[in-house]
Structures are given as structure tokens and as C-alpha cells.
Amino acid sequence: MFYREAGQFKTSYGADQAIFPILQDKLALAGIMAVALFVAPMIASTYWLETILVPFLVFSMAAIGLNILTGYCGQVSLGTGGFMACGAFFAYKLTTAFPDLHIVLVFLLSGLGTAMVGILFGIPSLRIKGFYLAVATLAAQFFLIWMFNKFGWWTNYSASGVISAPPRSVAGDLFITGPLASPIVKYLFLVVFVAVLALIAKNLVRSRIGRSWMAIRDMDIAAEIIGIRPMIAKLSAFAISSFYIGIAGALWAFVYTGSVEALAFEINRSFQVLFMIIIGGLGSILGSFLGAAFIVLLPILLNNLPSLIGVQMSVDLIGHLEFMIFGALIIFFLIVEPHGLARLWQIGKEKLRLWPFPY
């Protein structure tokens, strides 16, 4: 079988602990990136780019952020939608107040602003955890949405309460916001941007701070005994998680929809991202992408399935079936495979290494 480590000897600890220690994994990643950068833009239609691939990448960014907090650090959060709203409105205020500021810098600064908000609402995690922390972050969700709706300053006193992304480009005529933005340019920008931040997140969870998150998640008292400071570990997880989620909110408003209101980030958005990491796999960067792909593709499949099999179904029935299937799948993964799709992929690779011998 081709998926074997035979002959791939490591001569240093760093090589043994690399993100992709096996040559086949490096080639597979290179192949995926080549398809994403060169093949997908040529064969994908405008519908696929704008309706499937762009939201998939934005949701992947949000899922990575929540996975850092919940999957790696064990801090339950239901405020993802509120933090996405922070990123969207921070980016809008930055672009309108500083028209010459580069759009990439706008996204990063909106993420930093959201990180500060995340630290503020992460302070209760120093004294409470579990269900009580979830309730505290839920309060943050409602407070942030109320604030963006209540004060017109966030929307520059727009009568409708809707913010619209000003035209911005990454270089020259390569616009990613505004009426001149091309779906291909938006997609390629998101592929590169999300891939870079995902690589940074992967290295973070493998670093000293990532190990402190996992120690707090597994047993916080034992982690404190061996010298890990819970305050630094928990607040850093809230900050970095909110940074990623804030960028995802800015990308949602600027690159995906172009215009958005605060109600687009209500509690349903928080549950949607939470479902992604549960189905994709808690404590896994790959699981964030798998969960986002599943959540984005399933509604489209359900909407087109009746016409494919020749059955007439109302829109309301399809919507109800979507919620029922989501709930059933979450229960299924929690019982059968709590680590989600990422764990199934890992088991598949382990079987490939031993095939055809019994496992």
C-alpha cells in the first residue's frame, strides 16, 4: 500500500514532530491546494463560488476560532454570533473612518478589536465553567447584538441599520468588496487568507500555549498544580478564538454578503458554528473544515433532493427536515464518534497503514 512510512526516517525531534511528518500527507496537501487555487476557479460556476465555496471558507474561519476555545481549551461558548458581529461592525467603522487603510489590515485590526471584547467576556471563565460559562457567553451574544442595533453610531446612523462594504481591493483592480468584485477574486483571496491563518492556528495548538489549553481542558486543577496559570491560558484562548471569529465576521459582511445587519449574527449563527465543530470534530483544525463543508452542503442537498428523486415537498417541510437531520446527526456523533468526522478520517488513515492485515 502506498500510504506507509517505511523508509522515511527522522533524524531530529523537530522532523518527527512536524505538522506533516509523512511525505504522502505533504503531497496530499499540495494537491488539495493546487486544486483549490488552479482547478476550482476554472471549473466552478458563479453559483458554486458565491453560494458554496465562499461561505464554506468564511464558516471554516469561524469554526477554527470556536474550536480553539471549545475544542482545545474546553471553554463552552454560545457567543460566536456576537463576536462575528463585532468583527463585521469594527471592519465597517475602520473602512469608513480610514478610507486609505488596506483591506487586509482592516480585517486583522477588526480581529484584534474582537479579541479585546473576547477577553472582557472571557473573564467569567476564571470563576465558572461548563453550563454556567455557556450562559455567560450567551448573555454576551444578546448584549452585543442589542448594542449594534441600539446605537446608530455603528452603522453611521443608517436608517435601515444595514452596513454596506465600501469597494476595496487587495492589489490594483483585484476588488474583493463592492460591485466590481469578481467571485473568482473573492474566492482566491479567501483560499489564501484562510489557509495562512489555519496554518498559524495549527502551529499555535502544537506550541506551549496550545498544550496549556489542552491541559486546562483535560483537568484544570492538575494543570494548575504543574505550573500552568489558568488565567493566562483561558484568557489567551478567548482572545485568539475571538480574533479568528472576528475576522470571520468581517469576511462575512465584506466578502460574502457585501451588506449585513446585526440580526444576521443572532443566536442561530452561534449554534450553527457550534454544530460545525461538533460534527467536524472537537479539538481538530481539519474538523473545522469538514464540519463547515457539511453544514454548508447539507441544506443545498436537502433543497435539491426532492427534485432529484421526483418528489414534491414544500419549503417549510424541507426547512423542518433540515433541523431534524442536524439534531439527529449531532446526537449520532456524540454517541458513536464524539470526535466527529476528523476522527473518522484519522481512523481511515490508520487502517490504510496496516492494510491488508487485520486491525
Side-chain angles (χ1 to χ4, degrees), residues 46-89:
T46 302
Y47 171 80
W48 267 84
L49 290 172
E50 293 187 338
T51 310
I52 298 176
L53 296 178
V54 168
F56 157 68
L57 292 169
V58 175
F59 274 127
S60 297
M61 179 74 74
I64 290 172
L66 185 59
N67 224 335
I68 288 174
L69 181 63
T70 303
Y72 285 100
C73 195
Q75 308 301 302
V76 182
S77 174
L78 295 177
T80 307
F83 295 131
M84 289 182 69
C86 285
F89 283 91

Side-chain angles (χ1 to χ4, degrees), residues 91-221:
Y92 177 71
K93 293 301 294 184
L94 286 170
T95 52
T96 54
F98 305 98
D100 296 330
L101 199 61
H102 195 275
I103 189 62
V104 174
L105 191 56
V106 167
F107 292 151
L108 296 177
L109 289 176
S110 64
L112 287 175
T114 310
M116 296 179 185
V117 177
I119 292 175
L120 178 63
F121 287 103
I123 292 175
S125 68
L126 304 177
R127 300 301 298 269
I128 59 177
K129 58 184 178 180
F131 174 76
Y132 302 100
L133 179 60
V135 173
T137 56
L138 185 62
Q141 162 76 33
F142 289 118
F143 171 77
L144 292 171
I145 299 301
W146 170 83
M147 182 183 69
F148 293 126
N149 273 323
K150 179 67 174 178
F151 300 101
W153 181 82
W154 292 105
T155 61
N156 288 343
Y157 301 98
S158 170
S160 62
V162 177
I163 58 174
S164 298
R168 293 291 184 273
S169 68
V170 289
D173 295 332
L174 300 177
F175 285 89
I176 59 172
T177 65
L180 298 178
S182 168
I184 294 179
V185 175
K186 292 194 293 184
Y187 165 74
L188 290 175
F189 168 76
L190 283 176
V191 167
V192 176
F193 195 62
V194 173
V196 170
L197 287 178
L199 182 62
I200 294 173
K202 183 65 175 178
N203 280 283
L204 271 176
V205 299
R206 299 169 67 249
S207 66
R208 179 179 180 180
I209 190 172
R211 292 192 292 270
S212 68
W213 293 341
M214 289 181 276
I216 292 291
R217 174 197 64 190
D218 295 337
M219 189 173 292
D220 53 352
I221 296 177

Side-chain angles (χ1 to χ4, degrees), residues 286-330:
L286 173 63
S288 302
F289 286 95
L290 295 177
F294 187 89
I295 296 299
V296 170
L297 290 174
L298 182 61
I300 297 174
L301 177 63
L302 291 177
N303 288 328
N304 291 280
L305 185 60
S307 59
L308 293 176
I309 61 178
V311 177
Q312 296 294 329
M313 298 176 66
S314 65
V315 177
D316 292 340
L317 179 58
I318 294 175
H320 293 152
L321 285 175
E322 180 181 329
F323 283 112
M324 292 170 62
I325 292 174
F326 278 159
L329 286 172
I330 290 172

Side-chain angles (χ1 to χ4, degrees), residues 234-316:
K234 291 181 179 181
L235 292 185
S236 64
F238 266 95
I240 296 174
S241 169
S242 301
F243 174 79
Y244 275 81
I245 295 172
I247 292 179
L251 294 174
W252 177 280
F254 276 61
V255 182
Y256 176 36
T257 61
S259 61
V260 72
E261 60 180 342
L263 292 178
F265 302 107
E266 58 183 1
I267 187 63
N268 289 338
R269 191 70 62 208
S270 299
F271 282 116
Q272 191 177 26
V273 180
L274 181 62
F275 294 161
M276 290 177 189
I277 65 172
I278 291 175
I279 294 176
L282 290 169
S284 169
I285 302 298
L286 173 63
S288 302
F289 286 95
L290 295 177
F294 187 89
I295 296 299
V296 170
L297 290 174
L298 182 61
I300 297 174
L301 177 63
L302 291 177
N303 288 328
N304 291 280
L305 185 60
S307 59
L308 293 176
I309 61 178
V311 177
Q312 296 294 329
M313 298 176 66
S314 65
V315 177
D316 292 340

